[in-house]
Amino acid sequence: MQLSKLFVAVSAALVGSAAMAQTASVTLYGVVDTGIASNTFKVSNTAGGAKVTTLTEDEGRSARWGMRGTEKIGALNANFNLEGGFGPDTGAAPTAVLSNGASASPSLFNRRATVGLSGGFGAVDLGYSLTPFDDVLGMGHQMGANSWENLNNGVSGGPGFAKTNNFRNYYNNCDSLAFDARYGNSISYESPVMGGFSARTQYALLGENTVSGPKCFGWDTRVRGNIGPVTAGLAYAKHGNFNISGALIDADAIRGAVKATFGMFEIDANVERANYKPQAATGGKYTYTSMGFGAVANLGSTRVGAQYHKRDNGVAYLYNVTAAGASTAAVPATAFNNSAASIANWKQGGGQHFTVKVDHSLSSRTRVYAYFSTMKNELNHFATANNQATVQNLVAGIWHTF
């Protein structure tokens, strides 16, 4: 009798375990994006500049692979998401950028690493992920956010070219003027959708390893949702005690965006204003405002679109084109775009960005694309008066999802 009872109990436990296993799922996903690019870099009144045509990982900025999964636990879901980028031309994983500008060993999950719980209360995630500010900035990426066609490459989310520094992955580092970013060491909460809208807030303990002195932090919040064919979003970001080239700076930014679909057409518009406040008594205050608009026509399996953006102030964190053969080398890490010389010329800066793009779907998972993009900053990082920095790009590539 006791043996029978034991057999029944073990059988029930095994059946229960099997049932629970069926409520858990793991998905492998990714993107492979590779293109051929002809890039022209130029700085007026400066020797140098080059034109390079190559199969380049620069056009694979969004190449990635990842795993995400959910386990149902009663009324709750346990979730995880791990995602890493790679260069599709070589297969190499990108390196992490440390607070001193140096490179560390390749980072496996450099795009996202979170675990959390979700349910009727919303969703809480712990770890490393894109910010709520990026949720709203991304609404302007109708034609993609892969490389130079990305609007935050020079006029939004920060005061200079983004190829090296306007988009920032913050781990324990607080060393950039960029708002478009990923936060590590963070906690994120997103509310349920109410009336078509949801809110999300994220706080990052970026200075967790600081033993003495001010600890830097990032705190972003956004509201985003739909009203009929219109999607609208508003985001606010605050950075505290950021250490830029040895100077502590507090900064904040607000961004609004709207996107609407009317039949075969999509249109969008956005505006962003950022404030930088050096903590030194004589530091003053530096601001920039960016704004832009775009339109896309959906012609069956083909899309054609254009976008234009402009920023009024700020200085460019530009590729170093002053040395022959170094047109794609970044400005040295010690020369960030708010150095004393650059800050003094803040109001001479600014930028413009224009892109026209076409892509064609070969299937539900594969498309080919081509675009032309041009960017100009009125003042580059080297702070020479009327020294304009310009980048032009002609790109063709293929995008495949799995």
Side-chain angles (χ1 to χ4, degrees), residues 309-332:
H309 292 84
K310 182 177 177 63
R311 189 188 72 245
D312 60 351
N313 293 321
V315 287
Y317 191 90
L318 177 70
Y319 278 93
N320 183 3
V321 297
T322 62
S327 61
T328 58
V331 171

Side-chain angles (χ1 to χ4, degrees), residues 291-357:
M291 58 185 62
F293 55 88
V296 177
N298 294 290
L299 310 172
S301 57
T302 301
R303 297 196 314 156
V304 179
Q307 57 184 13
Y308 173 81
H309 292 84
K310 182 177 177 63
R311 189 188 72 245
D312 60 351
N313 293 321
V315 287
Y317 191 90
L318 177 70
Y319 278 93
N320 183 3
V321 297
T322 62
S327 61
T328 58
V331 171
T334 56
F336 285 104
N337 54 1
N338 72 323
S339 64
S342 293
I343 283 290
N345 293 282
W346 182 268
K347 291 186 178 181
Q348 295 181 41
Q352 298 183 65
H353 177 233
F354 174 75
T355 296
V356 59
K357 185 175 182 179

